[in-house]
Amino acid sequence: GQNIDQPTEMTATEGAIVQINCTYQTSGFNGLFWYQQHAGEAPTFLSYNVLDGLEEKGRFSSFLSRSKGYSYLLLKELQMKDSASYLCAVRDGVTGGGNKLTFGTGTQLKVEL
Amino acid sequence: EAQVTQNPRYLITVTGKKLTVTCSQNMNHEYMSWYRQDPGLGLRQIYYSMNVEVTDKGDVPEGYKVSRKEKRNFPLILESPSPNQTSLYFCASAGLRATNEKLFFGSGTQLSVL
């Protein structure tokens, strides 16, 4: 099985940097995804990590340490539109046909002026 | 435009009245899945399908049925809905050719069972 933990809520200021952490325990790790979800809308893909290290994509970066079961999503130059829930999801390479994604409960980020 | 289309967007029904939520994707994806999302519980997988005529249970399959007769369609069926199935439902699809294939989500179906 899998267990994914991430903070429930975070607040940050427009223009600042925020780091959202995710820790996981899994029997067959096969990649970690970050999704953004605005209220009432579908999740949209942000990033993917399968090897240790940092993946950078514009204002968003994601880091993975497989030995520590740890990832973070870094958002720079925060904008009001970044207020959303951020979902950490781990893919299990063993169950679910090798493609099952298990989601954390999400971190609700509020960006303030 | 590549997309996953779910219908209806909103649905209010009564206990015991059979309903179907449709899902269709135009990306020729092998993998399709249904999730429900509830406050404090996150997205939980109901059923998934690896290809036509291949379906399997996810984490919360009780009270649901699915079918995959065509590659593009993956309907979710509630034979006898109950109030505890009131939730926000998402259909999703993905290819299986590369390890970094991401899930594409439909726009969601907000279901209320009275």
Side-chain angles (χ1 to χ4, degrees):
Chain A
Q2 302 192 51
N3 187 38
I4 301 172
D5 288 313
Q6 50 181 132
T8 303
E9 295 178 335
M10 298 184 72
T11 301
T13 305
E14 189 179 36
I17 300 173
V18 70
Q19 178 174 311
I20 302 174
N21 295 325
C22 171
T23 58
Y24 65 88
Q25 297 168 328
T26 180
S27 54
F29 179 83
N30 192 25
L32 187 144
F33 295 78
W34 284 96
Y35 282 81
Q36 179 191 60
Q37 186 179 24
H38 286 97
E41 297 183 9
T44 55
F45 170 79
L46 288 178
S47 69
Y48 169 75
N49 297 71
V50 69
L51 300 176
D52 292 351
L54 188 68
E55 294 282 342
E56 297 186 81
K57 191 186 294 185
R59 294 190 299 115
F60 291 45
S61 303
S62 57
F63 171 84
L64 175 67
S65 169
R66 289 172 295 170
S67 62
K68 295 181 180 178
Y70 168 70
S71 173
Y72 67 73
L73 180 69
L74 194 70
L75 292 76
K76 305 175 186 175
E77 301 169 16
L78 280 172
Q79 303 174 9
M80 298 298 289
K81 67 178 182 179
D82 296 330
S83 293
S85 183
Y86 291 85
L87 312 179
C88 174
V90 175
R91 186 166 62 196
D92 186 335
V94 177
T95 61
N99 205 47
K100 180 180 179 180
L101 273 189
T102 298
F103 287 83
T105 53
T107 298
Q108 186 65 47
L109 174 66
K110 182 179 180 182
V111 180
E112 299 178 329
L113 290 171
Chain B
E1 180 188 356
Q3 60 184 1
V4 178
T5 304
Q6 261 181 262
N7 280 297
R9 181 73 178 88
Y10 299 95
L11 180 59
I12 301 174
T13 190
V14 295
T15 299
K17 186 176 181 181
K18 180 180 178 180
L19 66 91
T20 299
V21 185
T22 63
C23 175
S24 180
Q25 50 93 6
N26 63 0
M27 295 167 279
N28 200 36
H29 284 163
E30 294 84 3
Y31 183 86
M32 297 187 76
S33 181
W34 276 101
Y35 289 86
R36 61 177 288 173
Q37 188 172 34
D38 303 287
L41 296 177
L43 282 160
R44 294 179 292 167
Q45 190 180 51
I46 302 170
Y47 269 94
Y48 68 94
S49 170
M50 298 293 285
N51 215 323
V52 177
E53 301 291 2
V54 181
T55 63
D56 210 343
K57 297 177 181 179
D59 297 317
V60 287
E62 294 77 19
Y64 304 95
K65 286 176 57 178
V66 292
S67 68
R68 188 90 182 273
K69 296 177 182 175
E70 305 164 288
K71 197 172 187 180
R72 64 184 294 123
N73 296 324
F74 191 46
L76 179 69
I77 303 157
L78 284 73
E79 294 270 4
S80 183
S82 61
N84 65 11
Q85 293 179 298
T86 292
S87 186
L88 178 58
Y89 291 86
F90 288 102
C91 179
S93 73
L96 294 175
R97 291 179 175 80
T99 57
N100 62 347
E101 295 269 9
K102 59 183 182 283
L103 273 179
F104 290 83
F105 285 86
S107 54
T109 296
Q110 181 64 60
L111 172 65
S112 295
V113 183
L114 305 177

